[in-house]
Amino acid sequence: MDRTTALVPLHYVSLGGHGPEDVVADPHGRVLTGVADGRILRVHHLGDPRTARTEVLAETGGRPLGLELLPDGDLLVCDAERGLLRVDTGNGTVRVLADSVAGERLRFCSNAVALPDGTVYFTVSSRRHPLGRWIGDIVEHTGTGRLLRLAPGRREPEVLLDGLQFANGLAASADGSFLVIAETGSCRLTRFRLTGPRAGRAEPFAELPGMPDNLWREDPDGLVWVALASPRVPPLDLLHRAPRAVRRGAARAAVRAPYRPSGTAAVVAVDDRGRTVHHLTRRRSGFRMVTSVCATGDHLVLGSLWESGVAVCARPPAR
């Protein structure tokens, strides 16, 4: 599907904190997110800005990014500073599940997904650049992103896949036979097989019209929603084919330069065959750098590393 439809904004809800990078909806229609000061927030009544309210569930002591709700109501948190965490949403207790791999401290833990057997898979976006210099990795095209697995009862994760271009969002297929990984730096989704004769192998899943960030599966057998943090940038595609020394020099300059996100907001929904079912865009958007999207009721809720609140948009009709 190549046709785009309008992303229709309804209202904005301020959170009193900067950078709600990931948003996930719980079974009660509430939305959870993490902000730059380390707080994990739960937002109620997002459908009506007059009654929307925010409560603090926990403080990680770091910088929470990707979130994953567990069946018992606890929350997996990928913290860019502290690693993979588990948060008790009832009493706010934060427990570190993993903060290193093969003797190397986890840098830039990004997104996680849990399978029914208790296995946790999670991504590391970069081994070279921390969160504060994320644009350096995108420009340099380091290919140091990773997919890791933490088996039930283990403290040490194992590396399943290396060489990813800014590994980011993560989602499991409906039947649990593969994972979908967002490679922000390559504007694509990659499939990693968990079962079958091709288990342990990665292959292309979908090419995208922009840079994917977080992924969110609405239901066990529903669509995978993909936030596009930026449209494709043709000069960047050319730079990625340049020698490493040129890319490194450009990355040093990019980290020092002021950054201004694109004015285009966009999200995509794909099925388990990698086909695009929805492609929603809004140019000259007041809400910039969409890094996450989730659905609740008749609404899509957008998160952003750049903004200080979430945007509530109209959900498209089912196809």
Side-chain angles (χ1 to χ4, degrees):
M1 171 189 165
D2 296 321
R3 183 170 58 88
T4 63
T5 54
L7 180 64
V8 181
L10 300 177
H11 54 266
Y12 177 87
V13 176
S14 178
L15 299 180
H18 181 74
E21 198 266 350
D22 195 13
V23 290
V24 295
D26 71 12
H28 305 287
R30 302 168 300 190
V31 168
L32 288 80
T33 189
V35 289
D37 61 14
R39 289 178 298 153
I40 303 295
L41 308 177
R42 182 160 58 199
V43 191
H44 302 252
H45 310 303
L46 271 170
D48 186 344
R50 298 167 298 180
T51 59
R53 64 180 181 87
T54 301
E55 64 173 320
V56 179
L57 297 181
E59 297 187 14
T60 70
R63 201 328 176 179
L65 297 175
L67 310 178
E68 168 82 349
L69 268 170
L70 298 172
D72 63 2
D74 279 4
L75 191 68
L76 287 177
V77 178
C78 284
D79 192 291
E81 299 171 8
R82 300 194 63 200
L84 180 67
L85 313 177
R86 182 176 180 132
V87 173
D88 186 318
T89 55
N91 60 26
T93 301
V94 178
R95 180 160 59 96
V96 178
L97 298 181
D99 59 8
S100 63
V101 58
E104 178 184 340
R105 186 167 182 82
L106 284 174
R107 180 199 294 264
F108 210 157
C109 184
S110 191
N111 208 270
V113 66
L115 267 57
D117 67 357
T119 304
V120 175
Y121 297 87
F122 62 104
T123 56
V124 171
S125 291
S126 175
R127 297 173 64 197
R128 180 169 171 80
H129 295 275
L131 175 63
R133 299 202 306 267
W134 64 266
I135 195 169
D137 197 278
I138 296 295
V139 172
E140 187 177 342
H141 212 51
T142 68
T144 59
R146 284 175 157 183
L147 172 67
L148 284 75
R149 173 173 61 195
L150 183 65
R154 298 291 300 273
R155 287 279 300 177
E156 179 77 11
E158 61 177 315
V159 178
L160 297 182
L161 190 60
D162 214 334
L164 296 168
Q165 293 295 348
F166 205 91
N168 208 325
L170 194 61
S173 65
D175 62 4
S177 66
F178 63 87
L179 300 175
V180 179
I181 310 164
E183 288 192 78
T184 305
S186 292
C187 297
R188 69 188 177 201
L189 302 179
T190 295
R191 172 165 48 198
F192 181 79
R193 301 276 187 177
L194 298 176
T195 63
R198 297 180 63 82
R201 298 185 184 181
E203 59 196 15
F205 186 66
E207 293 292 324
L208 298 171
M211 297 182 183
D213 204 292
N214 286 301
L215 309 181
W216 184 76
R217 181 180 285 279
E218 181 172 0
D219 297 306
D221 58 351
L223 298 173
V224 174
W225 286 93
V226 185
L228 297 182
S230 167
R232 279 184 175 268
V233 181
L236 189 60
D237 292 338
L238 290 175
L239 178 63
H240 287 169
R241 295 194 283 271
R244 178 178 296 180
V246 174
R247 302 197 312 269
R248 284 192 172 181
R252 287 193 293 269
V255 167
R256 293 192 298 266
Y259 176 73
R260 176 69 174 172
S262 163
T264 297
V267 300
V268 167
V270 300
D271 63 17
D272 272 357
R273 296 177 64 183
R275 299 175 301 189
T276 298
V277 179
H278 299 290
H279 180 191
L280 311 176
T281 63
R282 180 175 178 81
R283 290 179 170 78
R284 295 185 292 278
S285 170
F287 189 87
R288 294 173 180 262
M289 198 177 181
V290 178
T291 54
S292 56
V293 54
C294 68
T296 176
D298 296 330
H299 303 128
L300 293 178
V301 180
L302 311 183
S304 168
L305 189 66
W306 182 262
E307 302 286 346
S308 296
V310 296
V312 180
C313 300
R315 181 175 178 163
R319 292 188 184 277

